[in-house]
Amino acid sequence: IAFCDTDAPLQNVDIAIPCNNRGRNSIALMYWLLAREVLRLRGAIPRSVPWEVKVDLFLYRDPEEASKIEET
């Protein structure tokens, strides 16, 4: 399984998920969507209820930069 852009080689890929795989925000969104769908397929969360986990939790933030932002 791979997140593939339009120019990605699909030589050893069984399942290609088309997306923008160059921006960190788009990759975080794709992991969020994939995690939500896996939980729904497992029956852990129902489809009728929105998932409360925010996409921001899938983004990496440098702890030093985060503390600098909080200080200002």
Side-chain angles (χ1 to χ4, degrees):
I1 298 175
F3 293 136
C4 296
D5 205 353
T6 56
D7 60 349
L10 301 176
Q11 200 167 359
N12 296 317
V13 176
D14 293 328
I15 299 172
I17 300 173
C19 69
N20 175 11
N21 62 2
R22 298 185 192 258
R24 70 178 194 149
N25 291 339
S26 61
I27 293 172
L29 177 63
M30 292 306 298
Y31 275 113
W32 181 84
L33 289 169
L34 186 62
R36 183 185 68 172
E37 191 60 29
V38 166
L39 289 174
R40 285 180 172 176
L41 290 172
R42 289 181 180 173
I45 57 173
R47 292 195 179 271
S48 60
V49 178
W51 197 27
E52 299 298 325
V53 176
K54 304 293 181 204
V55 179
D56 296 347
L57 294 176
F58 287 79
L59 290 170
Y60 173 76
R61 288 185 201 87
D62 187 19
E64 293 177 7
E65 289 181 21
S67 63
K68 288 178 186 177
I69 293 172
E70 290 176 3
E71 290 175 359
T72 59

